[in-house]
Amino acid sequence: MHRALELAALGPVVGDHARVGAVVLAPDGQVLGEGWHRGAGTAHAEVDAMSHVAPELLRGATAVVTLEPCNHTGRTGPCAVALMEAGVARVVYAIDDPGAHAHGGADRLRAAGVDVVSGVLADQAEQFLERWLLSVRLGRPWITVKWASSLDGRAAAADGTSKWITGAAARQHVHEQRAAHDAILVGTGTVLADDPSLTARGDAGELLAEQPLPVVLGDRVVPEDAALRRHPRGVVVLPGHDLDRSLRHLRELGVHSVLVEGGPTIASAFIAAGLVDEYLLYLAPVLIGGPRVALGDLGVGSISERRRLDVASTTSLGPDLLVRARPARARGAEGAQNDRSMP
């Protein structure tokens, strides 16, 4: 299973699919084949692994896979059926597939007489697939909120200028994070004020292979000559300010992860609504002062209502500091407000 997780990590980070790995073993434990899912429309990990094994060797073999074999026909057929037809005698997997249509492969295999074992390295698999699992379970994408600020919490100077608070290393890291998310979201205010391209670019300014889908939230019109109109993925405009509805729509488009890069207004709206799963805070060793704070009103009226975070890591990026944090896991008066699932 450790090897299957390593194989799963070879699959693309973004896209409407789960990253899954599989290993096929002979009865004596010898590895017969390995495989992983390479993206939507390609063979699933189990089928990919079996494709490297002679058919006669599959009979009586064991398939080890990081996610429950699927039980539905989409772009490909059910993996549970493929395993049964190949004569695989035992299937070992880490976690159940939470998808309403895909779930049930394990029961189907058991009904056909296949020995099925679940829960092997489940914690590791849950952590590896956390973004995809959350999006399927809650019906909304994983939300990462990012901002860059001075040490005193300012996102811009008093005149509105903000290029550049952080250095080149921090800015390049942001581009890498854009490429690691399915979509990037800003409000119309950011579009009108900054005219961002919202592309993921390399050190030399070249476009990276993976580009996030740009999403604009709000009612003001995106100008026809806006840089976003030239984005290689096009642009999705979501009118209104209903975050729940907008996120459900993005999930229907196959978006599993969103990087929120808007200004203080939109970042604060996501935080106040309890819809943030991870924070990326880029802190520059400068002081600016003034009114241009990184966040606005979060609905915190007293210190007892403060929103607590767990710091997952701190990383030096040149002169700057990246703080990666998540809503605190604690429950109770201070912790419960950090958790909110969409209906």
Side-chain angles (χ1 to χ4, degrees):
M1 189 65 77
H2 282 296
R3 177 57 181 162
L5 285 168
E6 291 175 352
L7 293 167
L10 299 176
V13 175
V14 294
D16 189 13
H17 61 273
R19 302 167 78 196
V20 182
V23 179
V24 177
L25 301 174
D28 63 0
Q30 177 186 351
V31 174
L32 298 176
E34 298 181 337
W36 65 92
H37 191 200
R38 290 168 172 80
T42 65
H44 288 189
E46 305 94 312
V47 174
D48 184 41
M50 290 192 295
S51 71
H52 303 294
V53 184
E56 63 271 15
L57 296 179
L58 288 173
R59 297 204 168 274
T62 294
V64 180
V65 60
T66 55
L67 184 67
E68 176 189 14
C70 68
N71 192 38
H72 80 297
T73 299
R75 295 184 178 97
T76 60
C79 290
V81 172
L83 290 163
M84 292 158 46
E85 292 179 345
V88 170
R90 191 167 187 248
V91 173
V92 179
Y93 69 91
I95 53 177
D96 293 333
D97 192 320
H101 300 295
H103 180 70
D107 290 339
R108 188 169 188 173
L109 287 164
R110 290 189 182 100
V114 178
D115 180 22
V116 178
V117 178
S118 63
V120 177
L121 297 188
D123 289 345
Q124 291 93 319
E126 282 272 350
Q127 183 176 6
F128 175 76
L129 280 175
E130 61 178 352
R131 289 186 182 184
W132 181 83
L133 289 170
L134 178 141
S135 71
V136 174
R137 289 166 177 165
L138 298 187
R140 67 159 176 86
W142 172 279
I143 302 299
T144 303
V145 166
K146 161 263 171 184
W147 69 79
S149 72
S150 60
L151 285 183
D152 58 345
R154 268 55 183 182
D159 64 356
T161 56
S162 60
K163 296 184 179 179
W164 297 103
I165 289 178
T166 55
R171 296 197 299 274
Q172 186 54 45
H173 190 272
V174 170
H175 283 287
E176 294 167 3
Q177 291 303 306
R178 288 180 176 182
H181 286 75
D182 291 314
I184 179 170
L185 186 148
V186 299
T188 50
T190 294
V191 173
L192 296 175
D194 300 336
D195 192 27
S197 65
L198 299 186
T199 52
R201 302 184 296 277
D203 290 332
E206 75 282 8
L207 292 179
L208 298 179
E210 299 291 348
Q211 291 294 321
L213 175 70
V215 178
V216 179
L217 188 64
D219 292 321
R220 286 180 285 181
V221 176
V222 176
E224 288 301 318
D225 61 349
L228 275 179
R229 299 289 189 187
R230 301 185 292 276
H231 194 285
R233 294 283 304 276
V235 60
V236 173
V237 179
L238 300 177
H241 304 277
D242 188 330
L243 297 183
D244 287 356
R245 183 179 63 187
S246 296
L247 292 180
R248 283 194 295 270
H249 179 68
L250 290 177
R251 179 65 186 84
E252 291 168 357
L253 294 178
V255 172
H256 291 279
S257 59
V258 174
L259 179 64
V260 177
E261 269 206 44
T265 300
I266 199 161
S268 301
F270 273 91
I271 297 170
L275 290 171
V276 182
D277 302 299
E278 186 170 40
Y279 295 85
L280 295 177
L281 315 179
Y282 298 86
L283 304 178
V286 298
L287 301 175
I288 297 177
R292 304 277 186 165
V293 293
L295 291 178
D297 182 19
L298 301 180
V300 176
S302 66
I303 195 64
S304 64
E305 298 172 334
R306 66 194 183 277
R307 293 176 177 267
R308 301 184 65 87
L309 305 180
D310 290 329
V311 174
S313 65
T314 57
T315 307
S316 294
L317 297 172
D320 306 312
L321 181 67
L322 167 63
V323 178
R324 189 183 295 266
R326 302 210 173 164
R329 296 177 182 175
R331 299 297 184 265
E334 295 178 345
Q337 63 194 330
N338 285 321
D339 298 323
R340 176 173 176 268
S341 299
M342 291 171 53

